[in-house]
Each structure stands twice: as C-alpha cells, then as structure tokens.
C-alpha cells in the first residue's frame, strides 16, 4: 500500500466543515483503521486497503461519500518494454525480458496498471530513473532529442514515440552490463518505487557452423546470431550445372523460402536462429561459403565449410592380451566413425574372417576353418553388426569350436564381404577409402592345466583335517555356452581301498581360471592312512569330457567304472588296487582317441600325531612350558576361503591327593589354546607351544598334561612331577630330557612313493607353460618318480 493518499477537499461539508479523519467500516459496522487528515491531506496510512469514509468534528461520518484506498503494487502491475521498429513483431509486445538488446528501439511502459487516472486532475504523479553506470532522469530518444523522465502525467500504458530510445544511445549504459529502470510514484510525496532489472546485450551479426568439415549425405547446423526480430538474408552457392550442392533443409527461416540456396530468417529474443544445411551424396568435395546480410551490416558476413568424400571408418579395438588358449572366449569389438545420416540409425554389417597356419589363403570364417570365404558372398563370412544405439559392434569368438593348431592367427574386419587377398594392400577392391581394413593378431595355444598343494601342507594331511589344493586351467574347460562365465572340471582320488570321483561345475574361466578343491574334515577322517594319487581332469580342446565316471557327467562318489561318450565301458576299476586303478585311468586319458588332458599329484594321509615334549624336573615356582610337535594343520586358507587351522586345547590336571581330599584338580591356565606353527620339511611336523605357566601356587606332586584337538577328535597326554621348593634337580629346567613314554610315538617324515613300473610315462611338450607349482615335499616326492608315475602335466600332442 502506498504511504500517502490524495487531497480530501472534495469531502468538505457546508455545515460540518472539513473531515478530521477517514475510517474503514468492518463487517460488524465498527469504525476501524482511522487515518487522520490535516489540511485535507492524510498522514501516513496504517490500515488496510478498502473504502474509507470521512468523519467530522462532531463524530458523525458520511454514509454516501467515500474514497477508495488501494495497494499501489496491485494497481501498477509489472513494468514491460514495447519494441518499436523491428522487421517482425514479437509474439508478445509489450513483454518483459531478462535481456534487452543494446540496439533495439524500446519504450518502457506500465501496460497493466489499474490506477484511476481521471482522479489525478492531470497533475504530475510519476517519473522514471535509468540506473546504469550512473543514474539519470533523462534519455536521448530515437529522434535524437533529450527527453526528461521526471514530472510525468500521461498514461504510462500508452505508446509514445517521445519515450522510445535505444540503450546504445545512453551515456549511462554499456553492453554486457546490468541495468535497472525504476518507475516511481511521486503524487503527494508518495515515493513508491517499482524496479525492473535486466541485462544489456549487443547482438552483432555472426555465423557459426556445427562443424568445419562434413561428410557427404550428412547435415550441418548453421547458427545465425543477430538483432532479435530483425530479418537477415542467408545464401549458399548456387550450382550452375545441376551438381548436388549443399542446400537449406530445415530450421527457423521465414516463409516462404526464396530458394534452396537463399532463405530469410530472424533471431528470437536470445539473438539466435538455427538453420539446417544438408550435404547431398553427390556433393563435390570442396569448400562452400555461407553469407549473411542484414541491419547494420555494410559487408556480408561469411563462414566456410568443407565437404569431405572420406568413407566410413571401421575401428577394431586392440585385444586385451596377445596370448590366448584354444577354448577361450575372445571378445572382438570396435566402432564406426563418419557414419552418414541415412545410416546413423541402421544396423551396419561387419564381416569377419581369419588367416593363419594351414588356413585358406583368402581367409576362413571364425567358426569353420575348413571353409574359405568367398568375395561378395556374405554368408561365407562371420557376420556381426554395428549397433547405433550402443555405438559399437562386437562378437564373442568361441575358440573351442576353432579346430586349429597352436599358432598365431589374424582376425580381419571389413565393411565389405571381401577376403584377405583383395583387401590386403592399399587401394585394393576390399580396402576402406583406400586403406587396408583393420586386423589384430591372436596367439592361440593348446589348453593347459596345472595343480599344486599348499606349501603349508607339505602334501601331507592328518585324518580329520581339510584336504585342499589349488589348480589353474586355460581353455574354458567344460563351458556349455558362449554367454557362460564358468566351466566344468573333474578330479579323481585313489588310495588304500579308495577310488573316488568328484567335479566342480562352476569352474572360473579365462584369466580367473584359478580355483581349487576343498574336502571337509569328515572326508579325510574316513580315509585310511597311506599314500594317495589325485588326477585333475580337463576336457581338452574340444571342450567335452571324452571319459565319464560311471557314465555320468555329474557323478560324485565311489568310483568303479569309466565310460567313453558313447556309453562304452572303458575301464573297470572295481577289482583294481590303488596303483593299478591310477594306472588304468592314466592309460585311458593317454589314448590317441581322447583329447582330454590331465595332471597328477600325490599326497599322504597320516593318523593324527601330537608329541608333547617333557618339561623336565620342575620345582614349585618354576615356569612350566608346554610345547611339542604335531602333524595337524597350521594356519592356512583354501581357495574357497575356508580356515584350515586346528585348535590345540591345553589342560593340566593334578593327579595326587591333597589336604581336604581333593584329587584330579584342573589347574588354571591363562591361555589354554594354540595352533600349530610352520611346516618343517625335515620332520613332516609342525611345532606348537603355549605361554609359560606360573606354578607358584601349585602343590608338589604328579600332573597330567593333555593336548586335545576336537576338530580331528584326537588328544595326547603326558605326565610330569612338580617337586617341593628347595628340591635337588636332576637335570636342567631349560634342557629337559625327552619323556621316555613319548619316544615310542610315530613320527611323520616327508611322504615317499615306491615306484610303480606299470604307470604310463608321458612326455611334456616343450610348448607347455611352466606349471604354477610351489615346490613342496609333496611335489618333490612326485617329481622324483615322474618317469614312472606319469608327467606332471600331460597334454594331447
């Protein structure tokens, strides 16, 4: 609401005189919001907008005459600009813009006000003030006259050429600056202000192209910047002999279009308009100039682009690695560049072929080496497609179906179904824009398998411990589909009265093809102590197991028979002992008709052993140290993350009777558990020990030491005597003698094997990669008899 209201002399009464105040009548008929009047002029308004009635000295008020007090902001509306002199009328004029052109003819107006101007008696009641780098109350209009913006009384909603001006003509304004025009009511010193802030922007004529070089059958975007709503003429070269010159093919030109090579356009409020230029397929490869003329331009403004005749580019991504194994799935991929407009949304075929050892000279499809690709015959190639949505092409090369030899092969990619012979040199019929199509070399070798036991096990396990090992296989063993990420591996274990088959149907493939086996404690607890063979079975290059346990791909359990893939019994293991069962399986895998590969290792299963070292002669107050050696498992983790360590629990019991009749008292021990230490190859055992125990509070007498491993269901005991204080020692406490009762306990030296002359010898080809083996006693013992028990890595030749 405004701060002052108008003169009230019109409300004087001949009898009652001048009003002393005016009031608003609320809904209950009470006088509210009184406004005092002095000299027929109201003081500052404190009430609400509405009808106010005059009240006289005697307290009476008028019932028929009133004045209407309104909020100035509600009455004025927004300040806007009215554009003058543009070639094209803006959609909304007057309008309100955040940016006003520097050189546009404008008049600031209040087109939406609702003020009762007929009651203002033609008195000056408002003014404008332009606030830029300085404040000014005058402007230079388009006629060149200086016009004051103060003491104005005309209706501010009506156009008036005297107040039309350009911001560029005002000393207070510079382009790129922030400016405010202020409308101010001045009647009765009201001083109510309504500001309009905006940005001043100059729009000189410029032309911008989306690209400086373009392929034929593509489009360019031409952005024209200029004065908003002013008309500009745009021109392209006109062909003289019917050539396919670039032409205007869309955008914001003014209708009607003069021709394909001449259009007129006007920018919008942002000073820009965009036009599309199409490049025909037969456009001559040369430069073309776009020119523009318009207001305030003396010389045409131009920009140039070039039409390039270069064809699509085929990109073939470099492989992740150079060496692969037959059976691996190799992802071939790439993209296309310089795709023309008509092909941008289509699937574009990419033709693949391969050359290499013993392959046809013109190349072969990736799925059949026996066939030669034929030029101009797409169905003889391996075909994939560029996907415009993904922006790439790809093909998963399943090399298990690639019946080739070890060697280096080259995969070729082309946009035409033309083989190697007519695309292998620049300018050949199968070249791409005169260049040789892209290709990459891939070194393929035969499948491999390696295996090892953890050096922490020494290849020896106690009954009740986890049985585990690691292996590594290349060649996608047992993968059943090109989208699979895991394969299938088998293994067999032969030992005293034991023949067993197992499998892993989720063997990791590719670079992640490192895994292992983990058999539970219950598995080894039921094994007879002795020496065992383990054979790891890989399906080979054809990726199919040619031998099946019990004629079942997914068999797990006691093994009696081996079958080939047609269901024929190959080996009957039911009556064979350990040596002959292993020999029979190896001979079957070595058959010329079988391409499966294998590797074999040995391990030993022993009965649990815990040797407790005698603490020697101790007297009350000595530190009791319990230590010894064991073949139970130390710290370790299997391939699937299982913790294999055995927990050894210590208990010490007093055997003598003491005062009070108590016997067999269990002594308190601060830390009563430990795990075995590092494997010692010389003994085949691991040391263990407990923290020293204070005996100061113990009674003299006989004591029993018990070390128990609940996981393997085994415990061992030993006794010692604790003498009274002051007793004569018979030996050093630091070097106690071995308890004679423990000298009869069996030891576990590194396992060895009696050579079996009947096992088949297999030579390791020179191309076989070095097995991934950590030299542990288990492997050393096996390598020592490799000439008799078979090769560490056996492969098909």
């Amino acid at each position: 609401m405004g701060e002052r209201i108008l003169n009230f002399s019109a409300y004087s009464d001949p009898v009652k005189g001048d009003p002393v105040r005016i009031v608003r009548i609320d809904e209950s008929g009470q006088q509210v919001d009184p406004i005092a009047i002095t000299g027929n002029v109201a003081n500052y308004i404190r009430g609400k907008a509405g009808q106010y009635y005059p009240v006289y000295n005697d307290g009476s008020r008028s019932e028929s005459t009133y004045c209407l007090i309104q909020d100035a902001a509600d009455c004025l509306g927004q300040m806007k600009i009215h554009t003058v002199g543009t070639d094209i009328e803006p959609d909304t004029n007057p309008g309100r813009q955040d940016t006003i052109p520097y050189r546009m003819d404008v008049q600031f107006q209040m087109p939406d006000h609702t003020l009762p101007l007929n009651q203002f008696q033609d008195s000056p009641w408002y003014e404008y003030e332009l606030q830029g780098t300085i404040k000014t109350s005058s402007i230079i209009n388009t006629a060149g006259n200086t016009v004051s913006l103060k003491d104005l009384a005309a209706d501010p909603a009506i156009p008036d050429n005297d107040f039309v001006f350009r911001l560029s003509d005002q000393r207070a304004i510079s382009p790129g600056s922030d400016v405010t025009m202020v409308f101010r009511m001045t009647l009765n010193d009201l001083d109510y202000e309504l500001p309009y802030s905006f940005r001043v922007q100059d729009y000189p004529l410029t032309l911008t192209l989306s690209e400086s070089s373009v392929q034929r059958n593509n489009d360019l975007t031409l952005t024209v910047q200029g004065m908003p709503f002013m008309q500009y003429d745009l021109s392209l070269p006109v062909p003289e002999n019917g050539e396919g010159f670039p032409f205007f093919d869309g955008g914001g030109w003014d209708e009607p279009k003069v021709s394909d090579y001449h259009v007129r356009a006007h920018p919008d409020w942002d000073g820009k308009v965009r036009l599309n230029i199409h490049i025909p397929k037969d456009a001559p490869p040369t430069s073309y100039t776009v020119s523009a003329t318009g207001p305030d331009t003396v010389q045409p403004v131009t920009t140039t682009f070039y039409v390039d005749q270069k064809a699509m580019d085929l990109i073939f991504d470099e492989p992740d690695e150079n060496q692969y194994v037959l059976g691996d799935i190799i992802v071939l991929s790439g993209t296309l560049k310089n795709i023309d407009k008509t092909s941008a949304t289509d699937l574009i075929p990419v033709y693949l072929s391969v050359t290499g050892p013993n392959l046809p000279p013109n190349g072969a499809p990736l799925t059949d080496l026996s066939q030669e690709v034929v030029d101009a015959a797409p169905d003889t190639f391996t075909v994939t497609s560029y996907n415009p949505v993904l922006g790439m092409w790809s093909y998963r090369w399943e090399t298990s179906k690639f019946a080739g030899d070890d060697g280096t092969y080259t995969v070729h990619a082309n946009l035409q179904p033309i083989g190697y012979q007519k695309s292998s040199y620049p300018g050949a019929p199968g070249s791409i824009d005169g260049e040789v199509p892209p290709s990459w070399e891939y070194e393929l070798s035969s499948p491999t398998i390696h295996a090892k036991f953890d050096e922490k096990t020494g290849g020896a396990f106690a009954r009740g411990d986890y049985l585990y090992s690691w292996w590594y296989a290349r060649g996608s063993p047992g993968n059943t589909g090109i989208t699979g990420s895991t394969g299938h591996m088998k293994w067999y274990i032969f030992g005293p009265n034991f023949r067993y088959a197992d499998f892993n149907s989720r063997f990791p493939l590719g670079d992640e093809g490192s895994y292992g086996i983990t058999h539970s404690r219950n598995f080894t607890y039921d094994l007879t102590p002795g020496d065992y063979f383990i054979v790891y079975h890989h399906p080979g290059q054809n990726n199919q197991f040619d031998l099946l346990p019990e004629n079942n791909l997914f068999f797990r359990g006691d093994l009696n028979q081996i079958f080939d893939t047609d269901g024929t019994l190959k080996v009957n293991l039911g009556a064979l002992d350990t040596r002959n069962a292993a020999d029979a399986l190896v001979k079957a895998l070595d058959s010329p008709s079988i391409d499966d590969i294998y590797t074999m290792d040995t391990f030993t299963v022993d009965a649990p052993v815990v040797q407790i070292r005698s603490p020697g002669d101790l007297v009350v107050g000595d530190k009791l140290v319990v230590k010894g050696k064991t073949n139970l498992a130390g710290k370790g983790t299997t391939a699937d993350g299982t913790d294999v360590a055995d927990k050894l629990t210590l208990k010490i019991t007093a055997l003598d009777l003491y005062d009070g009749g108590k016997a067999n008292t269990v002594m308190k021990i601060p830390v009563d558990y430990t795990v075995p230490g590092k494997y010692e190859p010389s003994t085949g055992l691991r040391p263990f020990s407990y923290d020293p125990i204070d005996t100061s509070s113990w009674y003299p007498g006989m004591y029993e030491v018990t070390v128990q491993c609940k996981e393997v269901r085994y415990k061992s005991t030993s006794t010692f005597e604790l003498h009274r204080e002051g007793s004569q020692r018979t030996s050093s406490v630091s070097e106690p003698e071995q308890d004679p009762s423990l000298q009869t306990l069996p030891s576990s030296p590194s396992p060895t094997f009696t050579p079996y002359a009947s096992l088949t010898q297999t030579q390791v080809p020179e191309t076989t990669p070095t097995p991934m083996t950590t030299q542990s006693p288990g492997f050393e013992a096996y390598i020592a008899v490799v000439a008799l028990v078979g090769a560490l890595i056996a492969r098909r030749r």
Side-chain angles (χ1 to χ4, degrees):
M1 185 183 295
E3 293 180 342
R4 293 184 183 273
I5 58 175
L6 303 180
N7 190 288
F8 285 91
S9 58
Y11 298 103
S12 296
D13 184 275
V15 178
K16 299 178 181 180
D18 296 331
V20 295
R21 62 182 179 273
I22 56 176
V23 296
R24 186 172 61 84
I25 308 301
D26 66 9
E27 296 177 354
S28 63
Q30 299 298 315
Q31 299 180 14
V32 295
D33 299 330
I35 300 173
I37 298 176
T38 303
N40 287 326
V41 175
N43 66 353
Y44 287 98
I45 298 173
R46 296 180 298 275
K48 298 180 180 179
Q51 295 179 356
Y52 281 73
Y53 297 85
V55 178
Y56 301 94
N57 283 323
D58 60 1
S60 63
R61 67 175 178 85
S62 173
E63 297 289 342
S64 58
T65 60
Y66 63 87
C67 67
L68 180 64
I69 296 179
Q70 295 177 295
D71 191 316
D74 293 340
C75 297
L76 290 174
Q78 286 188 320
M79 192 188 317
K80 297 180 181 180
I81 58 167
H82 179 79
T83 62
V84 180
T86 57
D87 292 334
I88 296 173
E89 183 83 6
D91 292 338
T92 302
N93 193 22
R96 185 179 177 91
Q97 302 297 324
D98 294 332
T99 300
I100 299 178
Y102 187 53
R103 303 178 191 278
M104 178 179 281
D105 296 356
V106 296
Q107 178 192 353
F108 287 84
Q109 293 179 322
M110 306 294 294
D112 302 322
H113 80 79
T114 58
L115 295 170
L117 300 185
N118 60 339
Q119 300 181 22
F120 289 4
Q121 301 176 354
D122 296 327
S123 300
W125 62 276
Y126 72 95
E127 66 182 15
Y128 288 102
E129 183 177 74
L130 186 63
Q131 299 177 355
T133 55
I134 61 174
K135 296 180 180 180
T136 180
S137 295
S138 64
I139 49 100
I140 299 175
N141 66 15
T142 53
N145 301 321
T146 300
V147 178
S148 174
L149 301 178
K150 297 178 69 69
D151 298 329
L152 303 178
D155 187 347
I158 297 177
D160 188 338
N161 286 335
D162 284 345
F163 294 97
V164 175
F165 65 96
R166 295 188 184 97
L167 294 168
S168 58
D169 294 336
Q170 314 310 311
R171 184 168 60 90
I173 307 301
S174 58
S177 63
D178 294 321
V179 177
T180 300
M181 177 67 89
V182 177
F183 175 89
R184 184 180 299 114
M185 294 182 66
T186 58
L187 185 65
N188 292 334
D189 298 325
L190 189 61
D191 291 337
Y192 177 77
E193 292 185 350
L194 187 68
Y196 174 14
S197 297
F198 52 89
R199 183 81 174 170
V200 177
Q201 182 67 49
D202 200 7
Y203 295 100
L205 176 60
T206 59
L207 303 178
T208 305
L209 288 166
S210 56
E211 296 180 70
S212 60
S213 179
V214 62
Q215 301 294 316
R216 289 184 290 189
N217 208 33
N218 275 346
D219 290 336
L220 278 176
T221 300
L222 172 67
T223 301
V224 182
Q225 177 178 286
M227 181 72 68
F229 307 106
M230 302 301 290
Q231 186 168 275
Y232 294 88
D233 281 80
L234 291 307
S235 299
L236 282 166
V238 180
E240 296 181 357
N241 301 313
E243 299 101 330
F245 276 21
F247 60 90
F248 293 108
D249 188 36
W253 64 60
D254 299 338
E255 296 291 353
K257 180 167 66 172
V258 180
S259 73
D260 285 344
Y261 311 98
H262 180 193
V263 296
R264 294 189 175 98
H266 65 275
D268 207 332
W269 276 112
D270 63 354
K272 295 179 180 179
V273 61
R274 291 168 178 81
L275 305 174
N276 191 70
I277 299 174
H278 180 65
I279 315 301
K281 285 185 176 181
D282 58 346
T286 185
S287 63
Y288 297 84
T289 298
V290 187
S291 64
T293 59
D296 300 327
T297 59
V298 178
Q299 296 293 331
V301 175
T302 63
T303 186
T304 300
F305 63 91
Y306 297 85
V307 172
D308 191 348
Q309 64 179 351
K310 188 175 182 180
M312 269 190 296
D313 285 339
L314 174 61
I315 308 299
F316 192 168
D317 295 337
E318 184 175 358
D320 295 334
E321 54 185 291
N322 293 324
Q323 291 187 337
Y324 292 88
V325 174
L326 288 166
D328 283 348
I329 296 173
I330 305 175
V331 178
L332 312 176
S333 64
T335 187
L336 296 179
K337 290 186 177 180
N338 304 318
I339 305 173
D340 62 46
K341 178 182 178 182
T342 58
S343 303
T345 58
D346 298 335
L347 293 175
I348 301 174
V350 177
Y351 300 94
L352 303 175
S353 60
V354 59
T355 57
N358 303 318
L359 296 188
N362 203 35
L366 272 60
T367 54
D368 188 355
L369 302 188
S370 64
Q371 299 295 321
E372 185 171 19
V373 297
V374 178
D375 294 344
D379 58 347
T380 65
F381 289 78
T382 297
V383 184
T384 185
S385 295
Y386 169 80
N387 188 321
V389 177
L390 300 178
M392 64 177 295
W393 63 267
S394 65
Y395 179 78
R396 291 172 65 88
W397 184 17
E398 190 178 359
T399 61
S400 61
K401 298 179 180 179
F402 184 83
D405 300 323
D406 291 10
T408 300
Y409 295 84
T410 303
V411 178
H412 307 268
N414 204 339
L415 293 173
Q416 307 176 69
I418 297 180
Y420 174 74
Q421 292 177 316
K422 291 186 178 181
S423 62
S424 59
Y425 55 90
S431 62
I432 300 177
D433 199 27
E435 300 292 334
V436 176
S439 63
W440 287 105
E441 291 185 348
Y442 298 85
E443 183 178 340
L444 299 178
S445 60
S446 296
T448 59
I449 181 172
H450 312 284
K452 72 167 186 174
F453 286 108
D454 191 340
E455 66 273 12
K456 296 177 182 179
T457 69
F461 302 88
R463 288 179 57 187
D465 277 341
Y466 288 99
L467 171 63
Y468 64 102
S469 68
W470 280 269
W471 56 23
Y472 181 81
R474 289 295 303 271
S476 302
N479 178 234
T480 57
I482 63 174
T483 59
S485 60
T486 57
H488 188 119
M489 288 289 292
K490 294 184 176 297
W491 66 94
Y492 310 89
I493 300 174
F494 301 97
N497 301 314
F498 187 77
R499 296 174 300 277
Y500 176 79
D502 210 334
F503 68 93
N504 175 11
S505 61
R506 298 187 61 81
F507 187 89
L509 300 181
D511 291 337
E512 302 300 323
S514 179
Y515 203 70
I517 63 173
T518 303
H519 283 295
S520 68
R521 294 180 180 276
N522 287 336
F523 183 87
T524 62
Y525 192 82
D526 293 331
L527 294 180
T528 301
D531 302 324
Y532 288 78
F533 288 101
I534 182 168
V535 179
Y536 304 90
H537 186 186
H538 184 303
Q541 185 170 328
N542 69 358
N543 205 24
Q544 294 185 0
F545 289 98
D546 298 326
L547 294 178
L548 296 176
E550 304 298 336
N551 200 29
N552 185 346
L553 179 64
F554 301 104
F555 178 78
R556 174 184 286 125
D558 293 337
L559 179 64
N560 290 299
Q561 295 177 319
I562 300 290
F563 292 80
D564 60 19
T565 53
D566 64 4
T568 302
L569 177 63
K570 194 77 173 180
V571 183
N572 190 342
L573 304 174
L576 301 179
D577 59 15
T578 302
R579 174 185 62 183
N580 291 320
D583 181 41
L585 176 60
V586 169
K587 284 182 177 179
L589 290 170
D590 279 333
S591 171
S593 63
I594 304 296
D595 83 334
D596 296 2
I597 61 175
Y598 66 92
T599 184
M600 181 161 51
D601 200 359
T602 62
F603 65 92
T604 302
V605 175
D606 291 321
V609 172
V610 176
Q611 297 177 350
I612 304 173
R613 180 181 178 186
S614 173
D617 284 344
L618 297 178
V619 298
V620 174
D622 284 342
K623 297 292 185 181
L624 169 61
V625 178
V626 178
K627 62 174 61 177
K629 294 186 178 182
T630 181
N631 65 349
L632 299 180
K635 292 182 179 179
T637 305
T638 68
D640 64 2
T642 301
D643 182 7
V644 302
D646 287 326
K647 182 178 180 181
L648 303 181
T649 304
L650 173 64
K651 182 173 71 173
I652 300 177
T653 307
L655 301 178
D656 294 336
L657 293 172
Y658 305 117
D659 295 340
K662 295 181 179 180
N664 294 328
T665 303
V666 177
M667 312 310 292
K668 291 183 179 180
I669 303 171
V671 180
D672 63 353
Y673 67 90
T674 187
V675 296
K678 186 177 180 181
Y679 178 80
E680 295 177 350
S682 60
T683 63
L685 301 176
R686 298 175 181 83
F688 68 88
S689 64
Y690 299 90
D691 292 344
I693 303 168
D694 186 8
T695 64
S696 299
S697 61
W698 293 12
Y699 289 101
M702 295 300 297
Y703 288 83
E704 182 180 66
V705 177
T706 302
V707 176
Q708 182 178 15
C709 180
K710 294 181 179 179
E711 290 88 352
V712 300
R713 291 172 276 180
Y714 180 82
K715 67 180 178 180
S716 179
T717 62
S718 177
T719 59
F720 71 93
E721 184 177 2
L722 182 63
H723 300 281
R724 297 181 181 276
E725 291 184 88
S727 299
Q728 183 67 34
R729 302 177 192 274
T730 58
S731 61
S732 171
V733 174
S734 61
E735 294 292 340
E737 294 181 356
Q738 179 69 33
D739 187 333
S741 65
L742 299 181
Q743 295 176 5
T744 60
L745 290 176
S747 61
S748 295
S750 299
T752 58
F753 276 79
T754 302
Y756 299 134
S758 63
L759 291 183
T760 304
Q761 179 177 353
T762 309
Q763 296 298 324
V764 180
E766 293 181 358
T767 58
T768 302
T770 302
M772 196 173 66
T773 304
T774 300
Q775 291 299 325
S776 63
F779 264 59
E780 292 168 354
Y782 180 67
I783 293 173
V785 295
V786 66
L788 297 177
V789 299
L792 178 60
I793 300 174
R795 303 174 46 188
R796 301 309 318 146
R797 293 180 292 279

